[in-house]
Amino acid sequence: MKILHICAIGGTVEALLRPQIDYFLSQNLSVEIACSPGSEVKKLQNQGYVIHPIEIDRRISLVRNLRSIYQLMQLIRQNRYDLVHVHTPIAAVLGRIAAKLAGVKRIVYTAHGFPFHDRSSPSQYRFYFTVEKFTALITDLILTQNHEDIATAKKLNLCPPEKLGYLGNGVDINRFRRDRLNSTHQIQLRKSLGIPDNTNFIIGTIGRITQKKGSGYLIEAAAKLLPDFPNLQVLIIGSQLSSDPEPFYTELIQKIQSLGIEKHVILTGEREDIPEVLGLLDIFTLPTFTHEGLPRSILEGMSMGLPVVTTDIRGCREAVIHGKTGLIVPPQNSQKLAEALGILLSNSELRQSYGQASRERVEVTYDEELVFGRLKKYYQELEII
């Protein structure tokens, strides 16, 4: 059986989809990918993945979007896939239209957080809901990463309930575990990142450097914490993509400089040793304030036994249990973020308790093997495997 995954960028394959793809390749299925060309795509191709570079704009652009649909349709017809599985908002719409026009047997959509949500403006909500409702008509199965999206879809009658399924999100709990870390290597890593020897506490976050991931609020919170925790360091793990609709890197640097905390913030860029970097942290935080499904980065932090401070938005509030595995604060509020981080920085027993509970929750609820099993079952029900 031949499966084609469609998403906007290679980074989505690298960060989110590769474990699923590897699993089904190990099940002797043919799994290929279509996404925009880029350095990540070349890297994945060199590793043996079959990727078809097709430019898929991350913005709504009629001419470019129609060109993407045509090229995807040609690819699908040429390779005669049994199933097309789409991801990320615009790529998911274009991919489903192309798959339908090409006469694909089955079309599956993983909603990594519906683009309409409780923090959308009324006009955005109506627009994106209308688009999702239309494309649901040509979708055989809609999978969500959180339970909240399923409840919303049923409440708003997005599609027949039998088209909805919970997939969830997960991490490799054997790779992301603290007892795998080598103490000597961790000391070397700490030095290589430029973390000062007198650092007492390290707070970290993972994500693309965009305004909506909330790194600006983390910087503001750090400035508020420094008087009480003068040897604090903040690690921002990730980079800005050239295709990001809302570039934020320059603004972030300016904010760090204007607050005079350059010595307390390290931007690591992209890293492939995420478990090891997380192993340096005392607290993981994700101050995102929009469009999340169920953030993989939070699960990675939890799997490494870290307490988590995150925001009260969809997905985040499902992964983190307030007062048990971490603390949940209002979005776009650096004062509340600083207060929550300060509570944990001041209490090592609480950090340890939340961190242990985080690891236990991931083992039971967010092991990626559970996701593979659910997806295999859904494919079997669609008579693909």
Side-chain angles (χ1 to χ4, degrees), residues 66 78 145 257 271 319 337 342 354:
L66 287 173
Q78 180 181 342
Q145 292 194 312
Q257 292 173 342
R271 303 286 304 196
L337 179 61
Y354 285 1

Side-chain angles (χ1 to χ4, degrees), residues 229-240:
F229 305 96
N231 296 323
L232 173 69
Q233 280 289 316
V234 173
L235 296 188
I236 298 177
I237 307 159
S239 64
Q240 177 177 288

Side-chain angles (χ1 to χ4, degrees), residues 316-332:
C316 297
R317 57 180 167 235
E318 185 167 311
V320 175
I321 301 176
H322 182 73
K324 184 176 181 181
T325 67
L327 298 172
I328 296 176
V329 300
Q332 295 179 279

Side-chain angles (χ1 to χ4, degrees), residues 35 59 63 128 137 145 177 183 207 306 314 321 351 370:
C35 65
R59 299 186 179 103
V63 174
Y128 286 117
L137 296 171
Q145 292 194 312
R177 58 184 306 144
S183 57
L306 290 170
R314 177 192 60 192
I321 301 176
R351 292 198 305 274
L370 298 172

Side-chain angles (χ1 to χ4, degrees), residues 266-333:
I266 296 170
L267 278 65
T268 73
E270 290 296 325
R271 303 286 304 196
E272 295 189 356
D273 55 347
I274 296 296
E276 289 74 20
V277 177
L278 288 174
L280 300 176
L281 306 185
D282 298 287
I283 302 169
F284 181 82
T285 184
L286 186 69
T288 177
F289 58 89
T290 189
H291 196 76
E292 297 288 348
L294 200 142
R296 177 80 57 88
S297 62
I298 285 181
L299 304 184
E300 291 172 347
M302 291 171 65
S303 192
M304 291 300 294
L306 290 170
V308 178
V309 176
T310 191
T311 47
D312 187 15
I313 69 167
R314 177 192 60 192
C316 297
R317 57 180 167 235
E318 185 167 311
V320 175
I321 301 176
H322 182 73
K324 184 176 181 181
T325 67
L327 298 172
I328 296 176
V329 300
Q332 295 179 279
N333 190 322

Side-chain angles (χ1 to χ4, degrees), residues 49-123:
Y49 294 94
V50 179
I51 304 186
H52 304 277
I54 292 178
E55 196 66 54
I56 300 175
D57 207 305
R58 295 171 66 195
R59 299 186 179 103
I60 298 172
S61 171
L62 183 60
V63 174
R64 291 179 180 177
N65 294 163
L66 287 173
R67 185 185 300 123
S68 298
I69 290 171
Y70 177 76
Q71 291 175 345
L72 288 168
M73 185 178 66
Q74 293 290 93
L75 172 70
I76 293 166
R77 282 178 174 168
Q78 180 181 342
N79 290 282
R80 297 184 179 181
Y81 298 103
D82 299 288
L83 179 145
V84 168
H85 193 150
V86 299
H87 309 264
T88 62
I90 293 178
V93 171
L94 305 182
R96 280 182 281 179
I97 293 172
K100 187 66 175 179
L101 292 173
V104 170
K105 183 179 178 183
R106 292 285 185 263
I107 301 173
V108 176
Y109 165 41
T110 294
H112 299 260
F114 285 130
F116 57 91
H117 48 83
D118 57 359
R119 295 187 59 77
S120 304
S121 69
S123 60

